[in-house]
């Protein structure tokens, strides 16, 4: 009897346990489904969020990130931007450039005519991060033969009310050898990666690729003089060309930096002529690859000085002119309640636009359109860029406007240009004002 009761009790216990397990299985199924749905939703939303915040056109960069960064000291904010771009933490332009923006410069194709001016990436540390923002050209430097610390801090200032920047950096950079090694290393690393993807040898790729290592983008290298050099000397420019020129789609001779006292070539015609002659001669003696030589001039020259510069550029077959560098002047009407503009240094940003546009127009007419002009100074909208093109700019460069509007500025200008061109090509409107 005991055995029977025990057996019966055991069966009931087993039945109860089985029922309990069955009940638990039924309850767990919805729970697992909810977990799957929740995890999937988080993954999808996270992915969409990532795509959004890493897109240059995302408003978060202009309306959130950039205002927050501007709370920092200007130079610290700049260094943080370089660090982020260097380490792949910057946004990316994922949209192909419209055909109307395609141009050819010095026999090389560019997907768009909006470039980055020198001064942002002084040491060539963040080249690919900058190209990823959507620039058609990135210009690094200015680079001097030897490392320079530049002027004491503070040396970079924002004039917020006028959307302007004042700098007296003093050409701080790592020097030609360090920067050159960095630029060369990047070039060969990019070609090695392309070789693995395409199955071609690095040598065959090197023979036909832009020095940017990108099919439709250009890399410019801006070279200048060391502080210790004699005012009339041009050897620093030649040394810079020899060290860096083989890895540049174009080399810029910076003869107009207002923050270095020994750069006289921008103001002394005799020094300018000897400098141009020496650099062009050195370029023509380079084996194999010979980069275009571009002259960067200031905005404070009068018409007669511009006429002389234009004639020298024609006589020595300079390949391009950048108009312009920063100015030591303070244009009338600047909104500056905090008197930041009283700081010594070169002024860039919107107050410079009128001077730069006038210089661009003048240089295009004086060179009769025979030398490509690169417009630079105060460009912050598509309308500004179009105005420079009509004045004669084959390409434009921006910098200071990114301080106020963030890394999406280049795409904002490109998108605006597509609308303004209304089906016409950028190359068709270059110099339109001079022809009318």
């Amino acid at each position: 009897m005991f055995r029977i009761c025990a057996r019966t009790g055991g069966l009931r216990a087993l039945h109860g346990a089985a029922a309990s397990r069955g009940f638990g299985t039924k309850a767990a199924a919805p729970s697992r489904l909810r977990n799957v749905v929740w995890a999937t939703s988080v993954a999808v939303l996270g992915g969409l969020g990532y795509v959004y915040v890493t897109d240059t056109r995302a408003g978060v960069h202009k309306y959130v990130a950039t205002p927050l960064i501007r709370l920092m000291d200007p130079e610290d904010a700049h260094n943080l931007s370089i660090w982020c771009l260097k380490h792949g933490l910057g946004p990316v332009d994922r949209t192909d450039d419209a055909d109307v923006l395609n141009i050819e410069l010095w026999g090389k194709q560019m997907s768009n005519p909006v470039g980055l001016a020198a001064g942002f990436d002084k040491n060539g540390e963040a080249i690919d991060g900058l190209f990823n923002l959507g620039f058609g050209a990135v210009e690094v430097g200015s680079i001097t033969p030897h490392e320079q610390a530049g002027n004491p801090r503070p040396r970079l200032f924002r004039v917020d009310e006028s959307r302007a920047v004042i700098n007296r950096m003093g050409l701080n950079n790592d020097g030609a050898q360090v920067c050159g090694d960095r630029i060369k290393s990047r070039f060969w690393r990019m070609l090695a990666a392309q070789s693995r993807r395409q199955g071609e040898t690095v040598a065959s790729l090197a023979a036909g690729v832009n020095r940017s290592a990108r099919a439709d983008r250009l890399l410019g290298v801006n070279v200048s003089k060391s502080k210790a050099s004699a005012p009339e000397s041009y050897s620093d420019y030649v040394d810079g060309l020899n060290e860096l020129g083989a890895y540049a789609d174009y080399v810029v001779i910076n003869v107009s930096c207002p923050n270095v006292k020994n750069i006289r070539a921008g103001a002394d015609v005799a020094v300018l002529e000897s400098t141009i002659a020496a650099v062009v001669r050195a370029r023509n003696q380079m084996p194999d690859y010979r980069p275009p030589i571009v002259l960067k001039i200031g905005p404070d020259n009068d018409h007669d000085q511009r006429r002389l510069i234009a004639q020298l550029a024609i006589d020595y077959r300079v390949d391009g002119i950048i108009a312009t560098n920063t100015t030591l002047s303070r244009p009338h009407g600047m909104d500056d309640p905090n008197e930041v503009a009283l700081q010594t240094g070169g002024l860039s940003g919107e107050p410079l636009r009128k001077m730069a546009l006038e210089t661009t127009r003048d240089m295009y007419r004086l060179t009769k359109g025979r030398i490509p002009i690169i417009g630079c100074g105060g460009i912050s909208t598509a309308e500004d860029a179009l105005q420079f093109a009509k004045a004669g700019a084959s390409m434009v460069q921006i910098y200071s406007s990114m301080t106020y509007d963030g890394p999406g500025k280049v795409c904002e200008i490109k998108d605006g240009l597509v609308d303004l061109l209304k089906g016409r090509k950028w190359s068709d409107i270059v110099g339109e004002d001079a022809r009318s």
Side-chain angles (χ1 to χ4, degrees):
M1 184 69 175
F2 178 77
R3 289 179 185 172
I4 294 172
C5 290
R7 190 177 299 161
T8 304
L11 289 171
R12 285 172 182 169
L14 289 171
H15 179 73
S20 176
R21 284 197 301 270
F23 178 77
T25 302
K26 291 177 182 178
S31 178
R32 283 201 299 271
L33 180 60
R34 281 195 300 270
N35 289 340
V36 170
V37 171
W38 182 84
T40 302
S41 300
V42 169
V44 169
L45 290 174
L48 291 173
Y50 173 80
V51 170
Y52 173 75
V53 300
T54 58
D55 191 317
T56 52
R57 290 172 172 80
V60 68
H61 303 298
K62 181 175 182 177
Y63 299 110
V64 179
T66 300
L68 287 175
I69 290 175
R70 284 212 313 274
L71 296 175
M72 299 174 62
D73 168 82
E75 188 166 349
D76 290 340
H78 176 267
N79 292 338
L80 175 62
S81 298
I82 289 291
W83 187 90
C84 289
L85 290 165
K86 176 181 177 179
H87 291 90
L89 300 178
V92 178
D93 178 13
R94 296 189 177 93
T95 304
D96 292 337
D97 289 329
D99 290 343
V100 295
L101 299 180
N102 297 170
I103 64 169
E104 182 179 309
L105 202 55
W106 306 305
K108 301 181 180 186
Q109 298 299 318
M110 292 175 60
S111 65
N112 75 80
V114 185
L116 176 70
F120 187 90
D121 186 4
K122 293 176 178 293
N123 297 308
E125 296 178 274
I127 294 170
D128 291 301
L130 289 163
F131 274 127
N132 288 341
L133 297 182
F135 286 106
V138 169
E139 186 176 316
V140 300
S142 256
I143 299 171
T144 55
H146 306 289
E147 180 184 3
Q148 292 190 156
N151 294 321
R153 296 180 66 168
R155 53 192 180 179
L156 185 62
F157 310 89
R158 305 186 196 100
V159 190
D160 291 336
E161 293 78 10
S162 294
R163 290 174 58 89
V165 174
I166 293 172
N167 92 82
R168 52 169 180 262
M169 302 297 287
L171 295 180
N172 55 305
N173 70 99
D174 291 340
Q177 183 173 347
V178 172
C179 292
D181 288 345
R182 188 176 291 135
I183 293 168
K184 294 172 193 175
S185 175
R186 172 197 168 270
F187 177 76
W188 293 115
R189 187 173 64 252
M190 293 281 287
L191 259 61
Q194 290 180 31
S195 173
R196 289 192 295 271
R197 288 195 304 269
Q198 300 174 17
E200 298 182 48
T201 65
V202 170
S204 64
L205 288 170
V209 73
N210 289 341
R211 267 30 189 183
S212 67
R214 296 182 180 229
D216 53 2
R217 310 292 168 104
L218 302 187
L219 175 64
V221 176
N222 185 303
V223 299
S224 195
K225 295 176 64 169
S226 297
K227 276 189 173 183
S229 301
E232 67 279 1
S233 170
Y234 51 72
S235 60
D236 283 359
Y237 295 110
V238 174
D239 291 344
L241 170 68
N242 288 334
E243 182 70 37
L244 301 160
Y247 294 90
D249 288 304
Y250 63 97
V251 173
V252 179
I253 308 303
N254 183 4
V255 297
S256 54
C257 177
N259 297 313
V260 182
K261 294 180 179 179
N262 67 335
I263 295 183
R264 287 180 49 193
D268 187 316
V269 174
V271 175
L272 179 61
E273 181 171 11
S274 63
T275 299
I276 294 174
V279 172
V280 171
R281 183 169 57 249
R283 189 276 309 273
N284 292 343
Q285 293 173 351
M286 292 177 67
D288 304 322
Y289 177 71
R290 297 173 180 177
I293 300 298
V294 179
L295 193 67
K296 186 164 187 175
I297 65 174
D300 300 306
N301 298 304
D302 60 29
H303 180 75
D304 288 338
Q305 290 172 318
R306 292 174 193 161
R307 181 175 53 80
L308 289 170
I309 293 170
Q311 193 57 53
L312 288 174
I314 292 171
D315 290 346
Y316 287 96
R317 298 184 179 181
V318 170
D319 299 290
I321 297 172
I322 297 179
T324 65
N325 213 319
T326 59
T327 178
L328 289 176
S329 69
R330 300 294 181 260
H332 179 70
M334 281 185 62
D335 187 7
D336 182 28
N338 297 317
E339 297 186 336
V340 179
L342 295 178
Q343 292 286 346
T344 302
L347 174 77
S348 60
E350 291 188 6
L352 179 60
R353 181 170 57 241
K354 183 178 179 181
M355 299 172 70
L357 181 62
E358 179 185 341
T359 303
T360 296
R361 182 177 291 111
D362 224 11
M363 296 308 295
Y364 182 82
R365 287 173 173 164
L366 289 167
T367 57
K368 301 178 176 60
R370 293 160 57 184
I371 298 176
I373 309 297
I374 299 173
C376 180
I379 297 170
S380 60
T381 66
E383 288 79 7
D384 294 339
L386 194 68
Q387 206 173 13
F388 272 78
K390 290 182 176 180
S394 297
M395 182 175 92
V396 295
Q397 292 180 328
I398 66 171
Y399 176 0
S400 297
S401 58
M402 290 201 303
T403 301
Y404 294 97
D405 295 328
K409 174 54 68 175
V410 58
C411 287
E412 180 184 315
I413 291 176
K414 292 192 298 181
D415 294 345
L417 282 172
V418 173
D419 293 336
L420 292 172
L421 287 169
K422 297 178 180 178
R424 299 180 67 190
K425 293 184 177 181
W426 169 276
S427 55
D428 292 338
I429 67 166
V430 173
E432 190 173 79
D433 289 350
R435 298 192 295 270
S436 60

